[in-house]
Amino acid sequence: MASSRLTVAHDQNALSVCRIFDMFAQYTIPLNGTTSLTPASVRLLESPAPVTIVVGFLVAGLLVWEQVSYRRKKQHLPGPDVKQPIIGALLESLHPTFDGYLSKWNSGPLSCVSVFNRFIVIASTCDLSRKILNSPTFAEPCIIDAMWKILEPDNWVFLMGKAHVDYRKGLNVLFTRRALRIYVPIQQKVYAEHFKKWLQLGGKQERYQMLFREVNLDASLRVFFGDYIPTDVAEQISVKYLRITAALELVNFPLALPGTKVWHAMRSRKYIVDEFLKAVKISRERMARGEPESCMLDGWIKSMIDITSGATAKGDDEENVTRTTRYFEDREVALTLLTFLFASQDATTSAVTWAFQLLADNPDVLAKVRQEQAEVRNDDYDKEVTYEMLESMLYTRQVVKEVMRYRPPVLMSEYCTVAFGMSVRAMVIPTFWPALHDPEVYPNPDNFDPDRFGPNGSASDTAKNYMVFGCGPHVCLGKEYAIGLITGLIGQASVKLDWEHVKTEDSEKIIIFATTYPKDACILKVTPRSRSPVTV
């Protein structure tokens, strides 16, 4: 009996297996070389349900994995508990707001956000920011994808370690006291030309942000290249630098397709570098003939000639002249000056815009600037300004330092690191605003007070919190150049012009276009200044 039941069960199991294979065969392609499908196969393929289910499971799985990955990276950091699927904080990155940044800084020493698959950690304290900037072994500038395409991969800004240090040493010659003396008269001439243009507006109110950019870019272009760049080319360069600025967003379309911001920026860079190479060639020819230096480029080329010829390195008043430490090819020179001018036209323009607005809103500060100018110039307002005169404008320099503390042009910098308590590689952003508005270091930090940098003030531009120009291996090379340019510009304007700030509800609101600006673009009325006595 048992054997009989076992035989029946075996037969039934065999029958079931055969039925399963028969059902499977209905949906398979025959192996005899034909391509015909059974009716059941056709019905299955025509039905969208199985494909939809599979795709749905795949998408759901990817979305779940994305959230798990984000949470694993986020750990204890303040930030959104759930990442917006796929794009993350893309919209915030495309249209950043100062209030949005401020909320992140106020959320804790470290906070986080994610854009696509890029995990971003924001450092909000002075100590953490300095730690990142001063740790080249563990943190390096994090280059956005578009920057490689726009500035060229062989640009010196992408160098790291010893190669970067050695390259920077070769650039020190461009910012010595001897070099800065050459630059001041060039800048003063440019200021006078642009003041005339402003006065041609007849005192009508105008948004001056772009006018400040024009004078700043023109001054730096003439300092760097003298008259080697024709006026019409200089105007084109100004337009093309705007295209480059627009393309260097944290998040941008990754492909340089025709019509995209990156595509326009790459074409702009090519035009600019080609014109710079022409200037380098002319300068080399002039310096080889022993003609006098007239700009930064000439001084740089002359220094290279000196090191190859073994010339002595003595300057005015027996001051030792710092010479370049290496020979630079034409392309290296052009790409270096490309980055110098890019940094200058953004950050310095921001500082100049805030300076004019704040001086108009604080007439007591402007009166002190004018009094100092009268003393430095011995009441001769047409006297040619020298670098030594700029150095003696102590109060005006205090104003410049306070402007950049109160409204720093650059709010943050992007670095990549694997240190500082994070288990995965991430973009880490040291920030500068919180350090510059720390009430323990700068009492009443939201007040504009140049006296805090005066003889009786407690602030110092060398203190660790004053990170306007960054710190560490990548600290700004042109710090003194920038301070001198802004000091000379507002000093000259204070004795040549009167200006009134037309306040709007957006005057104190901060917008971000690479650097910071007043939202209304600084509306002013500019008129000639009378020679009335200066009073404080």
Side-chain angles (χ1 to χ4, degrees), residues 124-189:
S124 303
T125 67
C126 177
D127 289 340
L128 282 174
S129 295
R130 290 185 67 88
K131 185 175 183 180
I132 295 168
L133 295 169
N134 283 294
S135 301
T137 304
F138 303 103
E140 61 186 28
C142 193
I143 308 302
I144 62 174
D145 297 336
M147 191 174 287
W148 293 94
K149 301 182 180 75
I150 297 169
L151 298 184
E152 295 279 58
D154 58 333
N155 198 305
W156 78 286
V157 297
F158 303 130
L159 295 176
M160 298 300 299
K162 187 176 185 300
H164 176 259
V165 172
D166 291 344
Y167 199 103
R168 279 179 64 105
K169 286 181 180 178
L171 303 178
N172 288 333
V173 66
L174 308 180
F175 300 104
T176 62
R177 287 171 54 84
R178 178 178 178 273
L180 294 174
R181 287 194 188 101
I182 298 174
Y183 306 157
V184 173
I186 302 173
Q187 294 166 342
Q188 294 292 316
K189 181 181 177 181

Side-chain angles (χ1 to χ4, degrees), residues 428-498:
V428 180
I429 301 182
T431 56
F432 308 135
W433 178 280
L436 294 166
H437 285 255
D438 185 344
E440 294 184 5
V441 180
Y442 304 106
N444 301 313
D446 294 326
N447 291 346
F448 177 68
D449 180 17
D451 288 332
R452 73 173 79 244
F453 287 99
N456 299 319
S458 60
S460 169
D461 64 326
T462 61
K464 71 173 188 176
N465 279 62
Y466 198 81
M467 292 194 292
V468 171
F469 297 95
C471 67
H474 293 272
V475 66
C476 179
L477 265 174
K479 173 184 175 180
E480 286 303 317
Y481 170 80
I483 291 177
L485 185 150
I486 304 167
T487 300
L489 178 54
I490 64 175
Q492 186 81 338
S494 71
V495 299
K496 297 291 186 180
L497 307 172
D498 283 320

Side-chain angles (χ1 to χ4, degrees), residues 35-175:
T35 57
S36 60
L37 298 176
T38 65
S41 300
V42 172
R43 287 195 300 271
L44 178 65
L45 294 177
E46 288 179 347
S47 173
V51 176
T52 303
I53 292 172
V54 171
V55 172
F57 274 115
L58 287 175
V59 171
L62 288 174
L63 293 177
V64 170
W65 173 85
E66 180 184 47
Q67 297 300 327
V68 171
S69 175
Y70 169 72
R71 292 290 301 177
R72 180 177 63 85
K73 296 173 183 177
K74 179 181 182 297
Q75 298 184 21
H76 62 280
L77 295 178
D81 291 327
V82 178
K83 174 189 173 185
Q84 188 169 341
I86 302 176
I87 64 172
L90 172 64
L91 299 180
E92 296 177 24
S93 300
L94 292 177
H95 305 285
T97 65
F98 176 76
D99 289 340
Y101 286 147
L102 193 62
S103 67
K104 289 289 184 186
W105 302 331
N106 291 336
S107 65
L110 292 173
S111 58
C112 68
V113 69
S114 183
V115 178
F116 288 120
N117 65 334
R118 176 170 288 179
F119 188 69
I120 302 171
V121 178
I122 302 169
S124 303
T125 67
C126 177
D127 289 340
L128 282 174
S129 295
R130 290 185 67 88
K131 185 175 183 180
I132 295 168
L133 295 169
N134 283 294
S135 301
T137 304
F138 303 103
E140 61 186 28
C142 193
I143 308 302
I144 62 174
D145 297 336
M147 191 174 287
W148 293 94
K149 301 182 180 75
I150 297 169
L151 298 184
E152 295 279 58
D154 58 333
N155 198 305
W156 78 286
V157 297
F158 303 130
L159 295 176
M160 298 300 299
K162 187 176 185 300
H164 176 259
V165 172
D166 291 344
Y167 199 103
R168 279 179 64 105
K169 286 181 180 178
L171 303 178
N172 288 333
V173 66
L174 308 180
F175 300 104

Side-chain angles (χ1 to χ4, degrees), residues 205-243:
Q205 69 180 44
E206 185 73 30
R207 299 181 188 274
Y208 267 75
Q209 177 184 318
M210 292 306 296
L211 296 179
F212 292 143
R213 179 184 178 276
E214 290 174 6
V215 64
N216 174 52
L217 185 66
D218 198 8
S220 291
L221 192 63
R222 294 306 168 197
V223 164
F224 297 168
F225 293 97
D227 294 326
Y228 298 144
I229 303 293
T231 301
D232 60 328
V233 173
E235 293 173 353
Q236 285 296 312
I237 288 175
S238 177
V239 173
K240 293 183 183 300
Y241 261 104
L242 273 179
R243 289 189 177 275

Side-chain angles (χ1 to χ4, degrees), residues 324-345:
T324 185
T325 57
R326 51 163 288 189
Y327 181 86
F328 292 83
E329 301 292 342
D330 288 6
R331 179 173 170 81
E332 290 180 310
V333 174
L335 289 178
T336 298
L337 293 177
L338 171 78
T339 58
F340 280 3
L341 196 58
F342 175 73
S344 173
Q345 61 101 26

Side-chain angles (χ1 to χ4, degrees), residues 11-55:
D11 292 341
Q12 289 177 338
N13 290 338
L15 182 60
S16 298
V17 171
C18 290
R19 286 175 178 173
I20 292 173
F21 275 101
D22 287 341
M23 293 172 61
F24 178 74
Q26 298 180 64
Y27 302 107
T28 60
I29 299 175
L31 299 178
N32 58 5
T34 65
T35 57
S36 60
L37 298 176
T38 65
S41 300
V42 172
R43 287 195 300 271
L44 178 65
L45 294 177
E46 288 179 347
S47 173
V51 176
T52 303
I53 292 172
V54 171
V55 172

